[in-house]
Amino acid sequence: MLKRLYDWTMAKAASKDSTAWLAGVSFAESSFFPLPPDLLLVPMVIANRKAAWKLATICTLASVVGGIAGYMIGYFLYETIGRWVIEFYHLTDKFEQLRLTFVEYGAEILIIKGMTPIPYKLLTITAGVAHLPLWVFIGASIISRSIRFYLVAALLYFFGPPIRAFIEKRLTLVTSVFAVALIGGFLVVKLL
């Protein structure tokens, strides 16, 4: 199964309509789809490093728009669609824990957890259920998703194929270190 998934992503990454596939997967992953856009982003940037920033932008924008769809599912359709998505991915326990803290710390949660490879749909649906203000949701999503996708694009742009295995195995570590540094920077500025 993994071999077929790998073959499919490589075929889509090499196709003439690869940017449309990248946008579609980025959109869908933010609201209901299980596969992260990195499966397309990584081989596409390796194949054309000059397009790294364009591809990261496509990923970011499509992910934010897909996130808005996930937010709407949580806000308006949780009982009919949202609950099914959460249960389908076996995220019910995580959802309940997250929902309880989302009302107070929604923007912070979106910024920090939105940079990691955890299922972003969990965050978007939860933000809608918690009725996080839409403008806060969009702003936090733009920050977190751009950091995530531009970080991957930058690593691939500057280090090329050798960094690919590191990204695929250690993306959570990289984004977590970046999130800690970002939060540490905010705390230092706040204390000054």
Side-chain angles (χ1 to χ4, degrees), residues 51-107:
W53 314 122
K54 173 186 169 189
L55 296 170
T57 301
I58 290 168
C59 256
T60 299
L61 295 176
S63 182
V64 171
V65 173
I68 293 169
Y71 177 95
M72 295 301 167
I73 288 170
Y75 197 94
F76 295 110
L77 303 171
Y78 179 71
E79 292 302 322
T80 55
I81 297 173
R83 184 179 305 278
W84 178 83
V85 171
I86 297 297
E87 289 172 358
F88 181 81
Y89 293 111
H90 307 288
L91 299 171
T92 305
D93 293 339
K94 290 181 183 180
F95 174 79
E96 290 303 320
Q97 293 169 352
L98 190 58
R99 186 182 63 78
L100 295 173
T101 57
F102 222 93
V103 174
E104 190 171 346
Y105 301 105

Side-chain angles (χ1 to χ4, degrees), residues 1 17 31 67 75 88 103 126 181 185:
M1 171 130 162
D17 56 349
S31 49
Y75 197 94
F88 181 81
V103 174
T126 305

Side-chain angles (χ1 to χ4, degrees), residues 7 12 22 37 44-45 50 58 62 70-71 76 80 85 91 98 117 147 149-150 157 161 163 176 181:
D7 291 342
K12 294 306 172 202
L22 180 64
M44 288 173 69
V45 172
K50 291 180 183 177
I58 290 168
Y71 177 95
F76 295 110
T80 55
V85 171
L91 299 171
L98 190 58
I147 289 171
F149 297 127
Y150 279 93
Y157 180 83
I163 200 73
S176 297

Side-chain angles (χ1 to χ4, degrees), residues 15-28:
S15 70
K16 64 179 177 164
D17 56 349
S18 60
T19 55
W21 276 101
L22 180 64
V25 169
S26 297
F27 174 91

